[in-house]
Amino acid sequence: MLKRLLRKIKASMGIYEPRAEDGYVYGVLAEYPDPGALMHAAEEVREAGYSHFDTFSPFPIHGMNRAMGLGNSQVGWFTLGGGATGLLIGYLLQWWTSAVDYPLNISGKPFFAVEPSVPIMFELTILFAAFGAVAGMLALNGLPRPYNPLFFSERFSNKASDDGFFLMIAASEEGFDLGEARGLLNRIGATHTEVLHDRDAREAAEHEGSAYEKISAEDTTAAEERTTGESYHQRRRREQDSDDLEGGAAGTSKEEAIGH
């Protein structure tokens, strides 16, 4: 349950997990000829029941968020939270310094009042709201993200920021079928499709497997040492001595044969 929830949260940020059982397939990437075709493809993919997919274009396409079924942006909630935090910090900071930490009796005036504190409270509200907006935008977009399996696609790397319009269905989708997804993208007008693999994840898994095999071999050697009571070096020395004895015996037999 928790793993599925984390996968859903990451997918909402545009971070998709590869399918290890299919050779670390990351997804299916399709190219479309123009913005209209890309928007139509997004609508068709959404209506087909997919939710783990994304579109890429050199410029924003008006209405794409509606075509993808994304709804309203959630950045506003981060902005609201940041603004409320700044307001509270501004209030508490001035109250603490004026009324608690270093109170000054000036002509019988109160140690703290809201009215003269408004400018600082306002400034911190705006400052933290800006911080919240930027942080929310980065978090919801899964940024910064220096690595993306899409970068392994030469076609995507060359055209995504120039004149290419792409749609990708991620393999992290529940019930994902590679052939079905690729067939759908072709039916709705893709000019090119390709399967993406997460090479780094695959290499990491292979490295982990090699390390596991090495550890298993070391465990086997240790078990043999415990069973025989001799270390690896002692066993190697014994085998070498045995080979030397066999070599000496063979040499003696050969000399006797020559003598006869």
Side-chain angles (χ1 to χ4, degrees):
M1 181 66 71
L2 180 60
K3 187 176 181 180
R4 183 177 299 178
L5 177 62
L6 290 175
R7 186 186 298 117
K8 184 177 180 180
I9 294 174
K10 291 172 67 176
S12 68
M13 299 165 61
I15 302 175
Y16 306 108
E17 297 180 357
R19 292 176 64 88
E21 58 270 24
D22 293 336
Y24 290 93
V25 171
Y26 183 71
V28 183
L29 180 69
E31 183 180 0
Y32 291 88
D34 53 64
L38 181 63
M39 184 176 295
H40 172 70
E43 293 173 346
E44 292 292 331
V45 169
R46 176 174 59 84
E47 291 177 0
Y50 290 96
S51 59
H52 293 193
F53 71 96
D54 208 345
T55 58
F56 308 90
S57 61
F59 48 82
I61 301 176
H62 180 68
M64 182 59 75
N65 57 339
R66 185 168 55 254
M68 296 178 64
L70 297 179
N72 296 326
S73 173
Q74 303 299 314
V75 174
W77 293 106
F78 288 86
T79 307
L80 176 62
T85 301
L87 178 65
L88 183 61
I89 290 176
Y91 180 88
L92 293 177
L93 176 65
Q94 295 178 91
W95 167 78
W96 172 262
T97 55
S98 300
V100 178
D101 186 51
Y102 201 78
L104 294 175
N105 187 350
I106 302 175
S107 302
K109 296 178 181 179
F111 293 132
F112 172 76
V114 175
E115 291 80 1
S117 304
V118 168
I120 301 300
M121 294 164 59
F122 172 77
E123 293 292 342
L124 288 182
T125 299
I126 300 302
L127 178 64
F128 278 78
F131 286 160
V134 174
M137 181 275 296
L138 293 174
L140 293 174
N141 285 290
L143 299 174
R145 193 181 181 195
Y147 167 76
N148 193 320
L150 282 167
F151 299 157
F152 291 120
S153 171
E154 184 176 352
R155 195 181 191 93
F156 179 86
S157 299
N158 292 336
K159 303 183 67 175
S161 60
D162 185 12
D163 60 352
F165 302 91
F166 295 90
L167 185 148
M168 186 200 71
I169 298 178
S172 58
E173 183 80 45
E174 291 289 338
F176 175 83
D177 182 86
L178 181 59
E180 181 180 342
R182 195 167 191 175
L184 171 64
L185 295 174
N186 284 320
R187 286 196 303 272
I188 56 181
T191 58
H192 174 81
T193 60
E194 63 179 293
V195 179
L196 301 173
H197 292 83
D198 193 336
R199 299 181 186 178
D200 280 11
R202 182 170 56 192
E203 291 175 359
E206 291 174 354
H207 177 73
E208 184 178 350
S210 300
Y212 176 77
E213 292 176 359
K214 182 179 179 181
I215 293 173
S216 299
E218 292 175 352
D219 291 343
T220 302
T221 302
E224 291 177 353
E225 292 177 359
R226 288 194 298 269
T227 302
T228 60
E230 60 180 357
S231 67
Y232 170 78
H233 296 290
Q234 291 174 337
R235 186 169 65 255
R236 288 292 298 166
R237 190 178 300 112
R238 177 172 54 79
E239 292 174 354
Q240 186 175 1
D241 293 341
S242 177
D243 292 341
D244 292 342
L245 289 174
E246 291 178 359
T252 303
S253 300
K254 184 176 181 181
E255 291 175 358
E256 291 177 353
I258 293 174
H260 289 300

